[in-house]
Amino acid sequence: MKIGIVAPYWNDITKKELQAIARLAEELGYHSIWVPEMWGRDAFSVLSVLALSTERIKLGTGVISVFSRTPATIAQTIATLDEISNGRMILGLGTSGPAVIENWHGLKFEKPLQRTREYVEIIRMILRGERVNYSGDIFKLKGFRLQFTPPRKEIPIYIASLGPKNLRLTGEVADGWIPFLIPRSGFKDAVREIASGAEAVGRRFEEITVSPYIPVCISRKDEETSKKIVKEHIAYYIGSMGTFYYKTLCRYGFKKEADSILEAWKQANKSQAIMSVTDTLLNSVAIAGSPKEGREGIEELKREGIDLPILIFPPKASREMVRETLVSIALECLLT
């Protein structure tokens, strides 16, 4: 089974730590390492370091907002990184949300679906080496062509999507799908939306890699703490990161829990918000606890038809816990 990881995004992480984690993941047989970008370190710069520190493991942006850079800039950068890494890059794109786009980037959160479609179309044209004459609703481009030939003309593009319209768009244009906090029981419904988008343009759903972000923390010594860390991570996203994740849980059968988490968070009652993440919800969207629970969680994902689970470590997971999780999952699922 293929398994990816998200590079830890501790505020005080060092270059040496990032390199060590990437090398360990490569040695243990992980498929890929993904670098997030929010309002911290620039993902492309970190990926440059990892590309020069590894040889085989694939490298992905997980994810770059389509509001953060022009499509040409993203295409140039991913093509350059693909050259540096000898053809190991995956481009993860998403829209982010109004809070980040308007209050951090200073742009209006307008036409996110159309913007995503045009980004994918333009980036593919650039990577193929075509002269970019493009007329869309948002971008009007003409005359330019990438000045060098990247090692691959078809770098995989994955889209982070949750809502029905965005899921259908993913089916139409993407090579992979990166959902987050979709309960296991909701995958089949979400997949139907993606499949309908794919069928509408004559594609097969099997062409799309299903690669959800799965919050994870494994500990032999302190299973309960590992679970609490993951529950806090889930509560944070439901309570403070806009309405996307709240609506997703409501859509897929966890409205009661989502309401309790959101209400507690609004009242600044963090401990109650964490307690509102039930064990049922935890086990539906994450993997936490003992190595045995880690193995069972990965096996369940495989049974659900997940192609590439991508393990994301909560920021409060310690260095020791991240290493133990990496090694434990590899021993249980990759090296057996």
Side-chain angles (χ1 to χ4, degrees), residues 11-152:
N11 291 340
D12 60 347
I13 194 168
T14 66
K15 183 177 75 171
K16 287 185 178 180
E17 282 184 304
L18 278 166
Q19 291 171 312
I21 289 168
R23 288 169 181 150
L24 176 62
E26 185 170 70
E27 291 169 7
L28 292 172
Y30 284 91
H31 168 272
S32 48
I33 183 166
W34 300 72
V35 177
E37 183 175 275
M38 293 163 286
W39 46 94
R41 292 178 180 86
D42 158 55
F44 288 129
S45 299
V46 174
L47 284 163
S48 297
V49 173
L50 300 185
L52 295 172
S53 306
T54 56
E55 296 179 356
R56 301 179 306 279
I57 194 167
K58 296 187 183 300
L59 305 164
T61 60
V63 297
I64 293 293
S65 170
V66 293
F67 287 89
S68 66
R69 300 163 179 83
T70 67
T73 300
I74 291 177
Q76 288 176 262
T77 310
I78 202 69
T80 303
L81 280 171
D82 209 45
E83 184 176 53
I84 292 170
S85 67
N86 295 316
R88 291 187 282 142
M89 296 306 303
I90 302 171
L91 178 61
L93 297 175
T95 60
S96 189
V100 175
I101 299 311
E102 295 180 0
N103 298 321
W104 178 247
H105 292 289
L107 301 174
K108 291 184 178 180
F109 190 75
E110 296 178 334
K111 299 182 178 179
L113 294 181
Q114 181 62 26
R115 179 175 286 267
T116 301
R117 181 186 298 278
E118 293 191 16
Y119 267 69
V120 173
E121 291 173 350
I122 293 166
I123 290 168
R124 291 201 193 281
M125 290 178 69
I126 293 172
L127 294 176
R128 287 194 298 264
E130 298 176 13
R131 192 171 297 281
V132 183
N133 294 308
Y134 184 88
S135 180
D137 291 345
I138 299 171
F139 292 98
K140 314 288 183 183
L141 310 172
K142 64 179 181 180
F144 283 87
R145 175 185 288 153
L146 191 65
Q147 285 186 325
F148 71 100
T149 302
R152 294 181 296 166

Side-chain angles (χ1 to χ4, degrees), residues 133-191:
N133 294 308
Y134 184 88
S135 180
D137 291 345
I138 299 171
F139 292 98
K140 314 288 183 183
L141 310 172
K142 64 179 181 180
F144 283 87
R145 175 185 288 153
L146 191 65
Q147 285 186 325
F148 71 100
T149 302
R152 294 181 296 166
K153 293 184 178 180
E154 298 291 339
I155 294 174
I157 298 177
Y158 289 25
I159 292 179
S161 54
L162 292 174
K165 292 181 180 179
N166 209 352
L167 292 173
R168 288 192 288 274
L169 175 65
T170 300
E172 291 180 38
V173 304
D175 300 301
W177 172 45
I178 308 176
F180 181 50
L181 296 187
I182 287 187
R184 310 264 204 278
S185 58
F187 267 105
K188 290 183 180 178
D189 288 340
V191 161

Side-chain angles (χ1 to χ4, degrees), residues 214-219 222-223 225-227 229-230 286-290 312-314 316-318 321-322 325:
I214 306 295
V216 62
C217 189
I218 300 298
S219 175
D222 197 345
E223 297 171 21
T225 296
S226 72
K227 291 180 180 181
I229 287 171
V230 176
I287 297 173
S290 67
I312 181 168
F313 310 105
K316 288 194 176 180
S318 68
M321 281 181 165
V322 167
T325 301

